[in-house]
Amino acid sequence: MPQLNGGGGDDLGANDEMIAFKHEGDHEEKIRESAYTESDLADLKSSLVNESEISQNSNSAVIRRGQQEDQRIYTDKREHLDDVPRHQDGGMYKASYSGYPFLMLPEPYLPNGPVSPSSNKVSVVQQGMHPLTPLLPYDHFNPSAPHIPTDVSQKPGVHRHQSQEISGFYQLPQATRLTSTDPSAWFSHSLMLQSGMHPTGIPHPAIMPPSGKQEHDQFDRNIYVKSHPEAKREKEPKKPVIKKPLNAFMLYMKEMRAKVIAECTLKESAAINQILGRRWHALTREEQAKYYDLARKERQLHMQLYPSWSARDNYGKKKRRKRDKQDSSTGGKRSAFATFKEDAAPAPILPMEVL
DNA sequence: ACTCCTTTGAAGCTA
DNA sequence: TAGCTTCAAAGGAGT
């Protein structure tokens, strides 16, 4: 079984994901063996999904024997993934930063690279480009943000911060650029108090309005601008939510969703996602590796921008919301256990001086 | 207005 | 540590 360590990997080393594909060929064979054998799709939705699959993906013929088979393969794959030592990725993510491999991003990721994304989103495809790849429509990273002068990095005499090379979309505005090499110092910057704005002054996709919903008119440029309802809520300011970085499949979905929508008449996301899930499995290991690689860069970038952030911050959000709703209807009575942990305030961010 | 659906992967939580 | 849960995106549908 060929390994991709040499070929597919970049300087960041995508070994983890690569190794995960060591038995991918077997799966692909199984997938193809089972092609066209599916006859037990009960509902119309599934039919539509499969119809789309057949018509759009006849070459790969990825129709498979229903969810159980899918799950088996999935589980199998996950096992391989789990075999992979996580020191490079997970360790990097959790540990303090000793280096920033993504600073060596290939040319397309650089501010002056060949990426020349469109500004306004008309369809999903035309949304802003992802900073890590020109392929991904990633509206969060819409580079047309007027708030960030595009020529900042070109100004003479400007101290070249390490994040400057990540992407034009993540460049620090000159006024807010810090000279500290410690990312935690960025986080203590006063700008972090602004809604939708990272402490560095970098508008980032991960920063969401307190409502938790992405409002396109407000977020087209990745910057949270107060709407009228928001202005009403101004009196009770809430912390902006930093979202999780997207994983490989999510990045794949972002890129392919519009294509699938265009190819079939489906609009329901659930159905679209089913198609995308199957197509994801039908991808070659090289194709998937591309997204794993991007996802890793996403995480690294996210980690650099929000060193203090943890997925824990958003963990249990939905449950909390439900519970709060119930509480409000029951007069706000909650057990001590219910308030344990979940309501614990995040560790205070110490100012630079203290650090 | 809110939640569900549906997918995969990463990370958190729990026993 | 294994296994389970939650959350990322998306937008129509249902409550």
Side-chain angles (χ1 to χ4, degrees):
Chain A
M1 190 66 64
Q3 300 290 324
L4 295 173
N5 293 356
D10 56 14
D11 290 341
L12 300 172
N15 299 1
D16 45 2
E17 289 87 359
M18 301 299 185
I19 297 170
F21 292 114
K22 60 185 176 184
H23 291 151
E24 181 72 11
D26 297 340
H27 297 318
E28 285 177 1
E29 276 186 29
K30 287 174 186 172
I31 290 169
R32 290 186 170 87
E33 280 173 14
S34 61
Y36 299 114
T37 62
E38 188 170 52
S39 59
D40 56 349
L41 289 179
D43 55 26
L44 176 62
K45 186 181 286 182
S46 297
S47 301
L48 285 168
V49 167
N50 288 311
E51 213 170 284
S52 168
E53 283 296 293
I54 295 167
S55 61
Q56 304 304 331
N57 207 6
S58 58
N59 288 337
S60 54
V62 292
I63 303 171
R64 291 185 282 148
R65 293 192 190 118
Q67 298 292 338
Q68 284 190 338
E69 177 74 0
D70 288 348
Q71 188 61 37
R72 186 186 59 75
I73 294 172
Y74 160 76
T75 306
D76 224 11
K77 204 170 191 176
R78 285 294 295 266
E79 284 170 4
H80 298 316
L81 280 169
D82 291 340
D83 289 342
V84 178
R86 309 292 282 262
H87 65 279
Q88 282 188 344
D89 201 358
M92 171 77 183
Y93 196 22
K94 298 297 288 183
S96 61
Y97 303 89
S98 54
Y100 301 94
F102 63 91
L103 293 179
M104 298 180 285
L105 290 171
E107 198 60 26
Y109 304 144
L110 297 177
N112 295 325
V115 183
S116 59
S118 57
S119 55
N120 281 325
K121 51 175 153 188
V122 174
S123 68
V124 181
V125 200
Q126 292 174 333
Q127 290 171 356
M129 295 298 183
H130 191 284
L132 297 176
T133 170
L135 298 174
L136 293 181
Y138 201 50
D139 55 345
H140 296 315
F141 292 89
N142 191 324
S144 62
H147 304 75
I148 303 179
T150 54
D151 60 339
V152 161
S153 61
Q154 297 163 1
K155 287 186 179 175
V158 173
H159 180 75
R160 195 167 177 80
H161 192 277
Q162 42 183 213
S163 68
Q164 192 175 351
E165 293 181 343
I166 300 170
S167 157
F169 317 127
Y170 290 100
Q171 287 172 13
L172 297 175
Q174 191 174 359
T176 61
R177 191 166 297 159
L178 305 178
T179 54
S180 169
T181 54
D182 178 10
S184 63
W186 308 353
F187 208 68
S188 63
H189 194 271
S190 60
L191 277 177
M192 69 177 292
L193 298 175
Q194 296 179 9
S195 282
M197 189 71 91
H198 183 262
T200 59
I202 303 170
H204 188 268
I207 300 182
M208 295 295 294
S211 69
K213 285 203 170 184
Q214 230 177 11
E215 298 168 45
H216 291 300
D217 55 334
Q218 296 165 359
F219 275 89
D220 272 355
R221 303 179 190 282
N222 304 327
I223 292 177
Y224 179 51
V225 180
K226 275 176 253 154
S227 65
H228 296 297
E230 282 300 317
K232 286 182 182 176
R233 273 177 265 164
E234 202 174 29
K235 291 175 182 175
E236 35 178 313
K238 292 179 182 176
K239 277 197 280 184
V241 177
I242 298 173
K243 307 280 259 185
K244 286 174 72 172
L246 303 189
N247 64 37
F249 179 69
M250 288 293 152
L251 291 170
Y252 172 74
M253 285 215 306
K254 272 231 169 212
E255 181 182 345
M256 300 304 292
R257 171 176 296 277
K259 192 179 171 188
V260 171
I261 290 173
E263 286 172 351
C264 57
T265 53
L266 289 173
K267 283 190 174 180
E268 282 183 55
S269 287
I272 300 289
N273 292 350
Q274 280 188 345
I275 295 172
L276 288 168
R278 294 184 183 187
R279 288 194 182 183
W280 173 255
H281 284 296
L283 289 181
T284 65
R285 66 197 74 177
E286 288 84 7
E287 288 169 329
Q288 284 192 350
K290 182 180 81 175
Y291 295 96
Y292 281 117
D293 203 35
L294 280 169
R296 188 176 55 255
K297 289 171 183 169
E298 277 283 310
R299 290 195 302 273
Q300 291 168 344
L301 190 56
H302 192 278
M303 181 173 64
Q304 188 176 17
L305 289 173
Y306 317 112
S308 302
W309 182 88
S310 160
R312 182 186 189 177
D313 299 349
N314 299 347
Y315 203 81
K317 261 192 328 188
K318 284 184 183 175
K319 272 193 171 181
R320 259 201 305 272
R321 271 204 301 270
K322 272 188 180 178
R323 193 193 56 205
D324 291 344
K325 216 174 179 182
Q326 288 175 349
D327 288 347
S328 62
S329 62
T330 58
K333 291 181 181 176
R334 288 169 54 186
S335 68
F337 181 77
T339 57
F340 177 67
K341 269 191 175 179
E342 288 184 357
D343 292 337
I349 299 162
L350 300 174
M352 263 185 81
E353 300 77 47
V354 178
L355 296 172

